[in-house]
């Protein structure tokens, strides 16, 4: 504490085993001021003794006091200037939305600024909800945002999962599976969920980690990380799915099935062939095979190290290809939709008309077994699969699936509205996309779920970014090239944001007629426009027409 005053004062500090306090007793005098500058240092480590951490805190504070508070404020200002330069989204035509968007982006800044390979809890640093536990939300909703705005932070979060790999291997053994199985809810890599049906049975957590790896590697081209961390994770997660599923022949055709799992929708548990899990497991298996084959070709030494670390055999890679190619994806020929699982369409539809508005969230008012017997969703499950692996579904399939499941989705999950907004925008439901976006945008500001007191929903904040970039700007990143299909809300005049793409800074400006893509750095990059490759450079921006123009 640095004190500046002409008033007499006394200081008393008392430290016990569980409490520390400093009390200032000031004899205030007319015309005098009392200025107190408080310096606080925080160090954390699992491997450093507390006494050494305390010494580090003292040294940090000594440097801070020597530099002065003004220097610290300047340093923070510079950090925030850099953050907003890369992460800000500028919306013209809707001041309220602009303010709310920046509030959500600020929550992401606080949550990700000092990860130090410790992960981002579901509530970030805003409150104690979920006891600081870490979920798959971060990989699916926050990692893509970081991969395109702060890849260094994204890399640290992925290394956090890599450091958990041994614990995931042990957990797979506990569940009698090969490979590695990441927990649904954790701090240190061990499963912290007390309810297996809606927690432990969510084997799709592995695919979330694989998806985050793909987003990061696609955005950065970080070959070193692929060779030394990502490939090992992918081998073990794919190995688990190859062991979990099985081949079953019907009508002379062998298909790969996965039984007894729970998808993202926690209102439907322990089912066979959950569509989301199968779609994402197919991706995990294929991506792992690609990663291993890429490492083997580009860096034989890294490949040999990978084989030593994992016991990988060439036969396994062939098995992954075969399982991915034969993956069973449920489809109903009569409704022409993808059932959420093998038996979903055989269940009774929930009586929404007879359910009072004060009975939501359903899980707080109905026994889980009642909910599990019905067609009712806590969050968009099939819709999320269509967003994450969009290239595997036609626009017509997406529209039919969206129409069917939208009427069954309660929105009781904070992870749902942003995804529904993205897919609604993609299939041409502009107003509905905007409505769902606003649900996501104001979820915490309006406390619409009634639990913001437990902390901000950090994944939803990442979903706000995704709804704008993937939804309204229509960004996709396939085959190593970005593309855009802009569809801005009618109320907005324009949207502008930046992306980091393989070391290049791109500025994207969307308006009612389309979008303008500029390279702000000195290099160039390739975009995919109407199926053709177009090179964009610092002096060669490109204009892409809006959807339907």
């Amino acid at each position: 504490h640095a004190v500046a005053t002409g008033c007499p004062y006394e200081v008393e500090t008392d430290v016990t085993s569980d409490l520390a306090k400093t009390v200032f007793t000031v004899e205030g005098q007319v015309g005098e001021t009392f200025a107190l500058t408080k310096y606080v240092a925080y160090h954390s480590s699992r491997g450093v003794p507390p006494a050494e951490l305390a010494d580090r805190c003292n040294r940090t504070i000594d440097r801070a006091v020597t530099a002065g508070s003004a220097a610290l404020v300047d340093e923070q200002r510079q950090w925030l200037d850099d953050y907003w330069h890369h992460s800000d989204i500028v919306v013209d035509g809707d001041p309220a939305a602009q303010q709310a968007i920046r509030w959500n982006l600020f929550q992401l800044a606080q949550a990700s600024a000092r990860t130090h390979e410790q992960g981002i809890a579901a509530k970030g640093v805003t409150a104690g909800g979920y006891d600081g536990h870490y979920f798959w939300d971060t990989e699916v909703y926050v990692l893509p945002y970081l991969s395109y705005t702060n890849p260094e932070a994204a890399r640290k979060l992925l290394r956090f999962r890599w450091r958990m790999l041994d614990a995931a291997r042990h957990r797979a053994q506990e569940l009698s599976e090969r490979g590695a199985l990441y927990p649904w809810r954790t701090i240190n890599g061990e499963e912290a969920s007390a309810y297996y049906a809606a927690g432990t049975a969510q084997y799709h957590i592995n695919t979330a980690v694989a998806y985050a790896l793909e987003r990061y590697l696609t955005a950065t081209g970080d070959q070193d990380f692929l060779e030394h961390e990502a490939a090992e994770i992918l081998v073990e997660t794919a190995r688990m799915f190859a062991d979990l599923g099985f081949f079953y022949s019907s009508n002379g055709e062998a298909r790969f099935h996965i039984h007894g799992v729970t998808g993202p929708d926690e209102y439907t548990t322990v089912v066979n062939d959950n569509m989301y899990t199968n779609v994402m497991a197919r991706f995990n298996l294929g991506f792992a095979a690609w990663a291993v084959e890429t490492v083997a070709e580009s860096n034989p030494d890294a490949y040999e190290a990978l084989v030593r670390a994992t016991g990988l055999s060439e036969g396994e890679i062939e098995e992954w290809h075969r399982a991915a190619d034969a993956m069973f994806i449920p489809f109903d020929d009569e409704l022409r939709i993808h059932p959420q699982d093998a038996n979903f369409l055989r269940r009774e539809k929930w009586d929404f008309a007879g359910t009072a508005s004060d009975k939501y969230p359903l899980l707080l008012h109905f026994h889980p077994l009642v909910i599990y017997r019905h067609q009712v969703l806590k969050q968009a499950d099939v819709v999320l699969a269509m967003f994450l692996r969009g290239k595997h579904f036609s626009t017509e399939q997406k529209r039919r699936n969206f129409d069917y499941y939208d009427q069954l989705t309660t929105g009781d999950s904070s992870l749902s509205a942003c995804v529904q907004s993205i897919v609604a925008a993609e299939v041409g439901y502009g107003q509905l996309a905007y409505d769902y976006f606003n649900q996501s945008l104001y979820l915490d500001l309006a406390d619409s779920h009634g639990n913001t007191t437990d902390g901000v929903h950090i994944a939803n904040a990442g979903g706000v970014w995704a709804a704008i970039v993937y939804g309204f700007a229509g960004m996709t990143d396939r085959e190593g090239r970005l593309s855009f299909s802009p569809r801005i809300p009618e109320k907005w005049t324009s949207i502008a944001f930046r992306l980091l793409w393989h070391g290049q800074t791109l500025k994207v400006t969307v308006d009612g007629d389309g979008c303008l893509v500029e390279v702000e750095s000195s290099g160039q990059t390739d975009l995919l426009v109407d199926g053709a490759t177009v090179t964009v450079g610092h002096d060669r921006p490109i204009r892409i027409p809006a959807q339907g123009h």
Side-chain angles (χ1 to χ4, degrees), residues 71 73-83:
V73 171
D74 288 342
E75 184 180 354
Q76 180 75 355
R77 177 76 269 164
Q78 292 172 18
W79 188 93
L80 284 168
D81 285 345
D82 182 70
Y83 173 79

Side-chain angles (χ1 to χ4, degrees), residues 86 124 127 197 255 301 327 338 361 370 403-404 429 478 492 514 543:
H86 289 102
R255 307 299 291 173
D301 291 339
M327 185 67 69
H338 292 85
V370 174
D403 289 344
Y404 188 86
Y429 298 156
R478 298 170 186 164
W492 295 1
R543 181 84 187 177

